[in-house]
Amino acid sequence: MISLESYRDIVGDDVISYLHQLADLLRGRRVVHVNSTKVGGGVAEILQRLVPLMQQLGIDADWKVIKGNDDFFKFTKSMHNALQGNRLHIPKPLFENYEETNRENAELLKDELKEADIVFIHDPQPASLIDFFPKRKGKWIWRCHIDISKPQRSIWKYLRQYVVKYDASIFSTVSFAQPIPHPLYIIPPSIDPLSDKNRELDDEYVLRTYKEFGINVDSPIILQISRFDRFKDPIGVIYAYKLLKKPVPALQLVLAGGMADDDPEGQIVYNEVRSVAEEDKDIHILLLPPEANLTVNALQRGADIILQKSIKEGFGLTVTEAMWKAKPVIGGNVGGIKIQITDHHTGFLVDTPEGAALRIRYLLYHKFKKEEMGRKAKEFVRRNFLITRHLRDYLTLMISLLYFAKDRIEL
Ligand code: UDP
């Protein structure tokens, strides 16, 4: 386990001392996080790192994962898509199955959740758990990781009936916040600079990783790492690449991704991507297992240009991960990506494949500028998006709910 002390060199003494001071007020408190997948996606990524650090600070922290059948995850994925703005009709039995699944999970988790001082419920999948704990002891917080700025109203209305029962909600950016009659907190996610996904790697490891996938490191490489999900726009990335293939014939595209346990659409999108890529030998579609953290790290370090061309994005940890490796990212001009990339300064925000192609070309031909932007990007992450800042925000929030409770809007 990585000790909190190891972060001193990266974030400084003051940050570590402050975390200890805050945690003293929470020593021995029972804190439970609940989400719907142990692996895959940003939420699991964060909880894997955050929960052990809370424990090191003397907090009795735990992480539970709810279980569900195929229909449950089909429903929650549809709900996720509708909350992010797609118009969908979801059949009534799927709503009933969602409620029933959370009832079963409530039964399984009843001892942990009833007595907890603080419960963090992540995203819509477990949101209706709260209905089954009318006599809860602690404060319950709904932590929303997705972009619900323009939801399909009927689905938001359905979810909102549960959300209003919580003591507080957390959103990643101000633009996602919805009118809810309880305190709203704005806490962006974070990355762990010492995890296998982000720690320093030697050049030889990076080169070997690319070689093992049969990718030529002497020719330019564009990379996007994402679950196979339409909101990540892998097809748009392929179009951007194709626009550049004529002027830059040596260009290679790497689309690397895996599947999350709670995402039933991954395989379909993966097949679509393969078919749009056709037989182009310079497009490398890599299906990565969930534990491929060092591989992701090496791919990010070795790429010339990193894209995250999402068309909806709650935050996009992959953007911060790449920026931490001193890469300017070309990101979709949406959601949480907008608070990470300062356009033209630490990367570029784009709306179309054409825009992405233009910026890729610019960075390929302006190496000095690319390095300068990369350095600024890394510094921006150090100040804003490391796990120590995230931990501080959560500790402050817990203290405010347990001790002062009222009238706090933002950390
Ligand atoms: N990730 C990974 N392997 C993959 C695809 C993604 O480890 O094949 C990681 C990625 O590095 C990041 C997280 O999963 O840490 C994805 O988080 P993000 O916020 O970018 O997107 P989400 O999947 O939560 O929508």
Side-chain angles (χ1 to χ4, degrees), residues 40-46 80 84 145-146 189 191 197-198 225-229 232 256-260 286-293 296-297 300 308 310 312-319 321:
V43 180
E45 181 77 21
I46 290 167
H80 174 110
Q84 295 214 120
H145 293 268
I146 59 179
I191 60 158
K197 187 160 287 166
N198 297 307
I225 295 195
S226 291
R227 288 180 297 106
F228 289 95
D229 181 320
K232 310 284 182 185
M259 316 271 177
L286 315 180
L287 203 48
L288 302 179
E291 66 283 0
N293 292 324
V296 168
N297 189 341
Q300 289 170 330
Q308 188 55 58
S310 308
K312 280 276 174 183
E313 191 63 78
F315 184 70
L317 283 179
T318 48
V319 174
E321 286 161 7

Side-chain angles (χ1 to χ4, degrees), residues 57-122:
L57 283 165
I59 298 166
D60 183 11
D62 205 351
W63 171 18
K64 299 287 172 196
V65 178
I66 58 164
K67 299 183 179 77
N69 58 17
D70 288 353
D71 272 354
F72 176 76
F73 289 116
K74 203 163 118 196
F75 172 78
T76 57
K77 181 70 187 186
S78 299
M79 177 152 64
H80 174 110
N81 290 344
L83 289 167
Q84 295 214 120
N86 285 3
R87 289 215 64 78
L88 297 169
H89 171 73
I90 307 178
K92 193 156 175 274
L94 289 184
F95 285 89
E96 289 160 4
N97 181 57
Y98 168 76
E99 290 153 25
E100 177 56 21
T101 305
N102 270 315
R103 196 190 60 73
E104 288 161 15
N105 279 287
E107 187 55 33
L108 292 170
L109 298 174
K110 69 173 184 290
D111 296 336
E112 282 92 346
L113 299 188
K114 220 163 56 193
E115 292 307 314
D117 295 297
I118 300 270
V119 176
F120 286 92
I121 298 288
H122 294 263

